[in-house]
Amino acid sequence: MINVTKTYLPDKEKYKKYIDEIYAAGKITNNGFLVQKLEKKLAEYLGVKNIVLVANGTVALEIAYRTLGLKGFAVTTPFSFVATTSSLVTNGLLPIFADIDPETLNIDPEKIEEKITPNTSVIVGTHVFGNPCAVDKIDAIAKKYDLKVIYDGAHSFGVRHKDKSIAEYGDIMTLSFHATKLFHTIEGGALVINDDALVEKARYLINFGIKNQEEIPELGTNAKMNEFEAAMGLCVLDDIAEINAKRKELFDRYKQALESAVTFQKVHPQTIKNYSYCPVLFQNETQLLRVQSGLNKHNIFPRRYFYPSLDTLSYIEPKQYMPIGRDISKRILCLPIYAELSFEEQSSIIDIVKAHL
């Protein structure tokens, strides 16, 4: 069976050495020494000042909203993983969608401004498949209306844009370190916070709101990463260059073989990608379903990322209609891409796709 991705498992003996350290220390959670070590290594690798590790990427978004004290409306994208929207709803923010650019697949900055009202407090964009949003235009809009900017960077680990880390854009960028991601900690996530003054607040919000033994200044939650997850992250980080290199090879082979038959996402020329996904757009949903069925018959399972368009979710009020987001969501398929995928397996995937177009 070939799935859209496969969890990268590092050398078992290396992981066991970290486990031995955890047993020796006797501390498995509550900001342990491996969590602290991973935070420092990730900050250095990503080129950022402040990174706060958490239990998963969804709670990272929730902590971002709480850290910035957001209320009211959030202008956001209809084309993302459901957590981008559901985390807004569960934190009392109303998602107001701005449609996407059909080529970059990111929120269209030209459609953001018309959605802003006096009740809007934040713009929440997603760097879809690691492709940077129009960060300069969004920043200008945010400054004009005194809004905060949060980026869902679940797919953006290690991406660089205009000679700096993509995580440096916006007030906060969140990351997901789920097992299916390019870099993972089994479960996990992080917040990259550009305002030094907000880092302490985020740290006590992930620990039930406890600031110290005598103060609980705000409503918090339990969002801490544990030591076993941090150990996995330290192991995977050691291998990230090799993982990236293999994924780039696979992506380039897909593009060379299929770019005349399907459409690939448009990426800004000043971006260094991470090749975490290989999304392709078909002419219509009928063609997509035909290709998907052909692959499934050979035990190959691509994924319809992202489907359905988030403006169709039953719990969204008021009802909204995003024609481009809905169209793209019906025509896009992510092809299998992971470090252990062989070129022979990939060639079979390519042949099946071509045969069913």
Side-chain angles (χ1 to χ4, degrees):
M1 182 182 294
I2 298 174
N3 290 313
V4 67
T5 190
K6 183 178 180 180
T7 299
Y8 177 81
L9 292 174
D11 179 74
K12 191 186 297 184
E13 294 306 313
K14 180 183 287 189
Y15 187 61
K16 284 181 177 179
K17 288 181 181 178
Y18 282 117
I19 304 306
D20 290 341
E21 291 182 29
I22 295 170
Y23 270 72
K27 183 173 183 177
I28 63 174
T29 189
N30 291 330
N31 198 32
F33 73 101
L34 291 183
V35 167
Q36 294 178 40
K37 182 176 182 179
L38 182 58
E39 281 192 350
K40 291 177 181 177
K41 290 194 116 181
L42 285 174
E44 181 180 347
Y45 178 82
L46 297 174
V48 298
K49 292 188 297 180
N50 304 308
I51 186 166
V52 178
L53 296 178
V54 293
N56 57 66
T58 303
V59 79
L61 286 165
E62 294 178 351
I63 295 298
Y65 309 145
R66 297 185 191 185
T67 299
L68 295 174
L70 301 175
K71 296 179 181 179
F73 299 170
V75 179
T76 189
T77 174
F79 190 71
S80 184
F81 186 62
V82 64
T84 312
T85 291
S86 63
S87 61
L88 289 167
V89 175
T90 56
N91 282 270
L93 289 155
L94 180 65
I96 301 296
F97 296 109
D99 216 341
I100 63 172
D101 181 302
E103 294 184 322
T104 68
L105 311 183
N106 290 325
I107 190 169
D108 187 342
E110 304 304 323
K111 295 182 171 67
I112 291 175
E113 197 162 1
E114 65 191 50
K115 301 291 183 173
I116 295 171
T117 75
N119 291 322
T120 305
S121 61
V122 64
I123 300 168
V124 180
T126 296
H127 300 309
V128 177
F129 307 124
N131 186 27
C133 291
V135 289
D136 294 330
K137 290 183 179 180
I138 291 173
D139 182 61
I141 294 169
K143 286 179 178 176
K144 180 178 178 180
Y145 292 95
D146 192 25
L147 303 176
K148 299 297 184 183
V149 177
I150 294 174
Y151 288 114
D152 182 339
H155 301 165
S156 304
F157 185 84
V159 171
R160 295 189 64 80
H161 183 64
K162 296 185 176 179
D163 294 324
K164 67 179 185 177
S165 170
I166 189 61
E168 292 188 69
Y169 295 93
D171 294 285
I172 297 178
M173 191 186 89
T174 64
L175 289 157
S176 171
F177 299 152
H178 184 265
T180 58
K181 295 297 189 290
L182 172 72
F183 168 83
H184 77 91
T185 57
I186 307 172
E187 290 279 359
L191 298 91
V192 176
I193 303 172
N194 290 318
D195 184 344
D196 295 345
L198 292 175
V199 178
E200 181 186 12
K201 182 179 180 181
R203 290 198 182 282
Y204 65 70
L205 285 175
I206 72 172
N207 187 34
F208 305 97
I210 299 171
K211 188 173 183 179
N212 55 51
Q213 292 185 354
E214 298 179 351
E215 293 181 88
I216 307 177
E218 296 202 38
L219 175 66
T221 189
N222 182 12
K224 302 183 297 293
M225 178 179 285
N226 67 58
E227 290 291 86
F228 292 90
E229 292 170 330
M232 178 61 73
L234 288 165
C235 292
V236 175
L237 189 60
D238 285 344
D239 299 340
I240 198 68
E242 178 184 341
I243 296 168
N244 268 335
K246 180 60 188 298
R247 282 175 175 261
K248 183 180 185 306
E249 283 187 293
L250 291 165
F251 184 92
D252 288 346
R253 291 181 89 246
Y254 272 133
K255 191 164 187 181
Q256 183 177 11
L258 295 173
E259 64 181 341
S260 62
V262 298
T263 301
F264 284 78
Q265 181 185 28
K266 182 180 178 181
V267 178
H268 194 286
Q270 290 177 271
T271 294
I272 298 176
K273 298 168 58 175
N274 64 8
Y275 305 96
S276 56
Y277 291 88
C278 184
V280 296
L281 280 159
F282 295 93
Q283 292 180 5
N284 50 56
E285 188 175 24
T286 300
Q287 188 182 60
L288 178 149
L289 292 173
R290 188 167 63 242
V291 170
Q292 184 182 35
S293 176
L295 290 167
N296 290 170
K297 287 176 182 177
H298 290 81
N299 285 324
I300 300 166
F301 298 93
R303 184 72 182 268
R304 294 186 74 178
Y305 280 143
F306 296 102
Y307 180 83
S309 183
L310 297 178
D311 60 300
T312 67
L313 294 172
S314 62
Y315 50 80
I316 297 298
E317 295 289 347
K319 298 302 180 186
Q320 300 168 58
Y321 178 67
M322 299 291 112
I324 300 175
R326 293 193 186 194
D327 173 61
I328 294 296
S329 72
K330 292 177 180 178
R331 297 191 291 115
I332 194 162
L333 195 67
C334 282
L335 301 178
I337 186 167
Y338 50 88
E340 294 177 35
L341 186 69
S342 70
F343 290 151
E344 291 76 17
E345 290 170 324
Q346 185 188 30
S347 293
S348 295
I349 294 167
I350 291 168
D351 290 342
I352 295 168
V353 170
K354 287 181 173 180
H356 288 82
L357 291 173

